[in-house]
Amino acid sequence: MLGKLSWETALPQDIVTLGGVIMGGLGLLAVIAAMTYYKKWGWLWRHWLTSLDPKKIGIMYIAVSALMLLRGLADAAMLRAQQAVFANMADSPVSADLFQQVFSAHGTIMIFFVAMGIIFGVINLIMPLQIGARDVAFPLLNAISFWLFFAGMALMNVSLAIGGEFSTAGWLAYPPLSGLEYSPGPGVDYWIWSLQVSGIGSLLSGVNFLVTIFTMRRKGMTLMKMPIFTWSVVASMLLVVFVFPILTVTLTLLSLDRTLETHFFTSDMGGNPMMYVNLIWAWGHPEVYILILPAFGIFSEVVAALCGKRLFGYVSMVWALMAISVLSFTVWLHHFFTMGGGANVNAFFGIMTMIIAIPTGVKVFNWLFTMYRGRVRFDTPMLWFMGFVVTFTIGGVTGVMLAVPGIDFQVHNTLFLVAHFHNVIIGGVVFGMFAGYAYWFPKFTGFRLHEGLGKAAFWSWLIGFVLAFGPLYILGFMGAVRRLDSYDPSLGWQGLFIVAGIGLLIILLGVFFQVVQLAYSIWKRKELAVGPDPWNGRTLEWATPTPVPEYNFATLPTVHERDAFWEQKQEKDKAKKLSYEAIHLPKNTGYGVYVGAASFVIGFAVIWHIWWLALVGVAATVILVIMSSLWEDSEKELSAKEVESIETKLWGQKA
Amino acid sequence: MGAKSMSAAADSAKLHRTSIGFWLYLMTDCMLFASLFATFAVLRTATADGPSGADIFQLPLMLVSTVILLVSSFACGIALIGLKNRNMVQIAWGLTATFVLGVAFLSIEIYEFAHLINEGYGPDRSAFLSAFFTLVGTHGLHILVGLIWLAVLGWVFYKRGINAKSGRQLTIFGMFWHFLDLVWIFVFTIVYLLGVLS
């Protein structure tokens, strides 16, 4: 009846996991109790969970990702504590098996449920505004994407409570280790299904955003007049629609190997484990560009606005973005030069990898030239940008080093590699998200984030980052492999691991400042209040009132130039036209939540081989999709009068 | 602009968006099948002392099912012409024929799979058979989805007649069905024809 699920298999096996489950469970209970006490469930359901407004969906993405960031950091803290202190102790609280689960979970969470979530959140918030649209192309599909992401996240976290273990096979679960023979438990299945469910959500988002950009731009906004962030979304989402199907297939095949005992990636009966590695990186390498390109877009907006200049080299920026997205398909083999593909194969992929550094370099120089002779304001977003230029460039240089097959053979799978990709992902993606957070926050709330605390967070992150990952480069050269839960004390590595651990503590201090900053800014929101255009912005998202109304633009703007809002502001004499018309918006609906729930059920049922429940989940999904496609009358109308009263209210409260 | 022409403009914008979105979706599906074809190409000789394609494929039967699928695509085209002429009878006949032929195609595939598994040549026999069942089965799954969609579409036309929304749904269904036809041509060529040749 319940497949492989029973009391013995379900409970957490070790004390640390059990502690995590209890803490998480208590937190969840506290939230539920508070919600019930303050009677907020109806409000939550009507105003958030069922909303099809991309701005609200974007905020939900970011809220979930922020929580997951905290969990990922807790995992990182356990890894650092183990390597710095416990590794040489006889009785470590982190067993070897737990250590493997923790690094697998850390990577999976940070990439899929933090970085991806924040990117989709920011795109939802900003992109429709930047192109002067009122919505995305398929609002319901957008909500479904979010709820699939949420369901994947839920599966990922439920693995601790039910089953008591996550995958021990690393964030990309290479077979044969991730096969049935060596990982018989539910951990790898949890990994597969949390990624499968959220991955399908990402794929649907990719299609949705591309169609939005291609068909819903404002009159006059030709492709070469789009804001550069929107261009970065095009580049990134093109990659999504091309590579996420590969991930879907790869995960399906691994899942078939584990449930129907097929032989795609087994070591016997003709299976080929290296094919998995090829497939997963054919998705995985473009994936890192899916993450970094929108961050490039954010930096481009921040630099132009905070230097008071139009972006230097717009056209070359666009070409660089597109070049990177094309080239990113031709480099996947550099993740396994040691496979034995041969000298010519390795040389090809090595050279292609180095070539990617060229368009990336073009972008860095364009940003620097935008600063040149600009009126630079050193607010928090700009600090994140400047921190990014330094750290990302270092990460890029070590990446080019790794692209040389000869060097790669030496440092393959060492901490040098770990330091490299944290250098580009933290220095690039994470700093980019923080820059965007500080930059766009006032647009949606009406008040700024506290500047002093933001700067404190920035410096903690930057210094902590150098201390946390600098030593890993050295350790990598000294031969420390990654994913190491213990080492011989005579190697003399412990000092460097302790420095890395201190670095992490300083990063955690930065996170602490960010949490305080958010709470403090909400508390002091009256004093921090700003108008709709606090940075003297250049693109259309600053043209709306603040907070942005559900319909974004009461009268849709016409675009003549690249920096459309800048252009509007120059034509001061033109009196504002005040004739409003009725606006059609999608009604709220629970379909997104239901589809997410059904997908969760499917994933959970297959993990535990509860086949009847899986069938129920599939049937529910099919019925929900049919019902939502038959849904008539899905739009509500805001009359011209209502629009006018909202607009008057919002513009009236200008600070 | 009057209210009527406004809603006509909105309908045409929606059709435009939906078809571009569906084209993009089909491209992602194309990548999905490309990954499965690549997997099949790598594993087609990995028979692990089990049967190869030449030993188990029933080429005449597959030719029959190929013809059935091609004709069903033709029938779907007739329904689309019916939509253009706003001819309900033509749509009804076209969709019915598409459905019946689709069921026939799927039945042949189920028969083939059941037959192979009974002989002991299931997907767990060798990497080649894993890849074969998965590639062909994924196509079959798409056909099944198409048949469910078709049934719903029939109900929509019966209940609500020809309008902007049902027309839009039939148009993208047509794209889907033709796409599956195209994928099958590759399956037939690469899996069956080349499999029997080698």
Side-chain angles (χ1 to χ4, degrees):
Chain A
M1 184 70 180
L2 286 178
K4 296 199 295 182
L5 193 59
S6 70
W7 284 112
E8 294 87 62
T9 51
L11 287 174
Q13 309 292 320
D14 62 273
I15 195 83
V16 181
T17 312
L18 193 63
V21 170
I22 291 173
M23 293 271 286
L26 286 179
L28 201 61
L29 272 180
V31 172
I32 291 173
M35 294 282 297
T36 313
Y37 182 79
Y38 291 107
K39 299 204 169 64
K40 285 287 185 192
W41 287 111
W43 165 83
L44 184 71
W45 178 258
R46 281 191 303 276
H47 290 275
W48 289 94
L49 307 187
T50 58
S51 175
L52 299 192
D53 180 354
K55 293 179 288 298
K56 287 192 171 165
I57 290 174
I59 290 170
M60 290 196 287
Y61 263 117
I62 290 172
V64 172
S65 308
L67 281 178
M68 285 296 100
L69 175 66
L70 296 181
R71 198 198 143 186
L73 280 166
D75 286 338
M78 282 166 77
L79 301 177
R80 282 280 143 267
Q82 169 74 11
Q83 289 181 325
V85 186
F86 300 137
N88 299 325
M89 285 160 93
D91 198 23
S92 165
V94 183
S95 65
D97 188 60
L98 181 62
F99 187 82
Q100 290 166 356
Q101 290 179 40
V102 172
F103 68 63
S104 304
H106 170 77
T108 310
I109 288 178
M110 287 302 201
I111 296 292
F112 288 93
F113 300 111
V114 179
M116 286 299 273
I118 296 182
I119 280 171
F120 283 126
V122 174
I123 295 173
N124 263 303
L125 283 166
I126 305 300
M127 183 272 287
L129 284 165
Q130 279 200 334
I131 61 172
R134 287 191 171 131
D135 207 335
V136 294
F138 310 110
L140 176 56
L141 194 66
N142 196 24
I144 289 175
S145 291
F146 169 75
W147 286 105
L148 291 175
F149 165 80
F150 190 90
M153 184 279 301
L155 274 177
M156 162 93 217
N157 286 291
V158 159
S159 73
L160 292 184
I162 304 172
E165 65 156 27
F166 191 62
S167 168
T168 54
W171 81 284
L172 284 185
Y174 283 7
L177 176 59
S178 60
L180 200 54
E181 199 178 348
Y182 302 102
S183 298
V188 175
D189 297 308
Y190 269 115
W191 179 85
I192 289 174
W193 284 93
S194 62
L195 262 55
Q196 188 70 288
V197 170
S198 69
I200 290 169
S202 306
L203 184 59
L204 298 175
S205 285
V207 172
N208 204 344
F209 292 146
L210 281 176
V211 177
T212 307
I213 296 175
F214 289 150
T215 65
M216 295 172 76
R217 292 189 314 276
R218 265 320 288 156
K219 203 190 269 172
M221 187 181 279
T222 56
L223 284 176
M224 289 312 267
K225 284 180 184 153
M226 288 198 308
I228 209 81
F229 173 73
T230 302
W231 259 115
S232 76
V233 176
V234 173
S236 170
M237 293 303 119
L238 277 174
L239 291 179
V240 166
V241 300
F242 275 105
V243 300
F244 266 79
I246 308 178
L247 178 71
T248 307
V249 167
T250 314
L251 293 173
T252 305
L253 300 186
L254 184 63
S255 177
L256 288 174
D257 269 6
R258 293 178 56 83
T259 46
L260 298 184
E261 299 186 31
T262 55
H263 295 285
F264 290 103
F265 309 128
T266 54
S267 350
D268 58 349
M269 307 296 273
N272 189 341
M274 276 321 288
M275 193 174 65
Y276 178 92
V277 179
N278 271 287
L279 282 170
I280 200 84
W281 282 114
W283 159 81
H285 197 85
E287 164 70 11
V288 302
Y289 289 96
I290 292 169
L291 299 176
I292 195 70
L293 293 176
F296 287 171
I298 294 174
F299 284 127
S300 306
E301 302 293 348
V302 166
V303 164
L306 273 84
C307 297
K309 272 177 71 183
R310 84 187 301 183
L311 187 70
F312 183 90
Y314 175 93
V315 177
S316 63
M317 279 298 208
V318 171
W319 283 104
L321 281 170
M322 297 318 283
I324 292 172
S325 49
V326 172
L327 287 173
S328 70
F329 286 104
T330 60
V331 299
W332 79 89
L333 193 128
H334 71 210
H335 294 271
F336 43 96
F337 280 140
T338 52
M339 172 175 78
N344 290 338
V345 171
N346 284 358
F348 171 80
F349 283 95
I351 291 168
M352 291 317 285
T353 306
M354 291 177 216
I355 287 177
I356 282 206
I358 296 173
T360 316
V362 166
K363 301 185 77 65
V364 171
F365 283 116
N366 279 341
W367 290 317
L368 294 180
F369 287 136
T370 308
M371 285 176 74
Y372 179 66
R373 294 203 150 183
R375 213 172 275 277
V376 187
R377 282 175 288 169
F378 293 96
D379 293 297
T380 326
M382 196 66 197
L383 291 185
W384 288 114
F385 165 73
M386 291 192 298
F388 150 79
V389 170
V390 177
T391 51
F392 189 79
T393 306
I394 295 171
V397 170
T398 57
V400 173
M401 287 171 71
L402 281 166
V404 180
I407 298 180
D408 184 81
F409 273 59
Q410 182 60 32
V411 290
H412 177 82
N413 251 354
T414 66
L415 291 175
F416 186 89
L417 168 78
V418 173
H420 157 71
F421 69 68
H422 282 87
N423 220 162
V424 284
I425 291 183
I426 295 182
V429 180
V430 177
F431 283 16
M433 298 307 143
F434 290 159
Y437 170 61
Y439 177 65
W440 279 309
F441 186 88
K443 185 74 229 172
F444 298 96
T445 57
F447 56 97
R448 279 183 67 156
L449 288 163
H450 187 269
E451 194 58 27
L453 285 165
K455 284 186 173 142
F458 165 73
W459 287 110
S460 308
W461 265 93
L462 189 71
I463 295 165
F465 171 78
V466 172
L467 285 177
F469 293 99
L472 298 197
Y473 280 119
I474 304 167
L475 282 164
F477 274 133
M478 290 160 77
V481 295
R482 68 197 292 202
R483 297 168 176 169
L484 196 65
D485 72 305
S486 64
Y487 49 88
D488 194 323
S490 67
L491 287 163
W493 292 348
Q494 195 173 14
L496 286 167
F497 274 123
I498 290 175
V499 175
I502 293 171
L504 180 78
L505 288 178
I506 300 176
I507 291 179
L508 291 178
L509 184 69
V511 175
F512 172 74
F513 282 134
Q514 287 173 310
V515 174
V516 174
Q517 181 198 34
L518 181 62
Y520 184 83
S521 308
I522 294 174
W523 183 40
K524 294 279 181 193
R525 60 187 176 278
K526 291 261 155 59
E527 286 142 62
L528 292 166
V530 286
D533 181 24
W535 306 104
N536 199 6
R538 316 180 67 82
T539 37
L540 281 178
E541 74 267 29
W542 303 106
T544 68
T546 286
V548 187
E550 189 178 356
Y551 48 78
N552 294 354
F553 300 91
T555 43
L556 291 170
T558 307
V559 176
H560 305 286
E561 277 185 46
R562 251 172 221 159
D563 289 346
F565 182 49
W566 191 260
E567 176 206 353
Q568 276 181 24
K569 285 192 283 191
Q570 306 311 312
E571 305 168 352
K572 281 174 211 135
D573 45 56
K574 247 190 207 167
K576 264 216 172 90
K577 220 175 67 187
L578 284 173
S579 72
Y580 297 110
E581 55 186 37
I583 293 173
H584 291 265
L585 289 169
K587 277 184 190 163
N588 285 12
T589 165
Y591 280 125
V593 184
Y594 306 143
V595 171
S599 314
F600 178 89
V601 168
I602 297 173
F604 186 82
V606 178
I607 289 166
W608 291 104
H609 295 196
I610 312 173
W611 301 120
W612 64 268
L613 189 61
L615 280 178
V616 170
V618 171
T621 310
V622 171
I623 291 168
L624 284 167
V625 170
I626 292 173
M627 280 172 61
S628 63
S629 79
L630 296 177
W631 187 30
E632 300 273 299
D633 187 30
S634 59
E635 286 185 345
K636 63 184 176 195
E637 187 185 272
L638 280 177
S639 70
K641 257 222 168 81
E642 286 169 288
V643 175
E644 186 174 353
S645 82
I646 296 174
E647 286 288 301
T648 322
K649 204 178 129 224
L650 286 173
W651 286 111
Q653 62 165 29
K654 213 187 295 182
Chain B
M1 239 192 281
K4 205 164 188 185
S5 67
M6 278 256 293
S7 87
D11 280 338
S12 115
K14 264 187 193 157
L15 178 61
H16 182 57
R17 247 178 257 165
T18 313
S19 15
I20 290 191
F22 204 75
W23 268 115
L24 266 172
Y25 156 73
L26 287 183
M27 291 304 102
T28 70
D29 227 13
C30 217
M31 285 304 293
L32 185 119
F33 278 109
S35 311
L36 289 171
F37 272 112
T39 306
F40 181 81
V42 170
L43 296 179
R44 60 191 288 257
T45 51
T47 50
D49 299 326
S52 70
D55 302 327
I56 52 171
F57 292 153
Q58 297 162 277
L59 213 46
L61 187 64
M62 284 308 116
L63 185 66
V64 171
S65 78
T66 304
V67 172
I68 289 176
L69 197 64
L70 287 175
V71 176
S72 92
S73 231
F74 179 76
C76 181
I78 287 179
L80 283 167
I81 295 172
L83 178 69
K84 214 171 206 175
N85 302 335
R86 304 188 81 74
N87 182 342
M88 199 60 188
V89 178
Q90 207 178 347
I91 294 175
W93 276 112
L95 291 187
T96 311
T98 312
F99 188 83
V100 170
L101 291 165
V103 170
F105 173 86
L106 202 58
S107 311
I108 293 177
E109 188 170 313
I110 291 168
Y111 160 77
E112 187 201 15
F113 278 15
H115 177 71
L116 283 176
I117 292 170
N118 277 337
E119 302 265 296
Y121 305 142
D124 53 349
R125 175 62 190 82
S126 69
F128 155 68
L129 283 163
S130 304
F132 164 77
F133 274 94
T134 309
L135 172 58
V136 178
T138 305
H139 180 268
L141 203 61
H142 276 74
I143 295 281
L144 178 65
V145 170
L147 290 175
I148 296 173
W149 188 357
L150 200 47
V152 175
L153 212 50
W155 184 86
V156 167
F157 273 96
Y158 177 71
K159 278 281 176 198
R160 297 181 182 165
I162 304 172
N163 59 32
K165 191 167 176 177
S166 60
R168 210 158 58 224
Q169 286 177 345
L170 178 55
T171 310
I172 58 172
F173 171 79
M175 287 156 67
F176 184 68
W177 202 252
H178 292 317
F179 170 76
L180 290 185
D181 209 4
L182 196 65
V183 171
W184 181 257
I185 300 296
F186 282 91
V187 172
F188 184 65
T189 314
I190 291 173
V191 177
Y192 291 99
L193 285 182
L194 287 180
V196 171
L197 268 181
S198 54

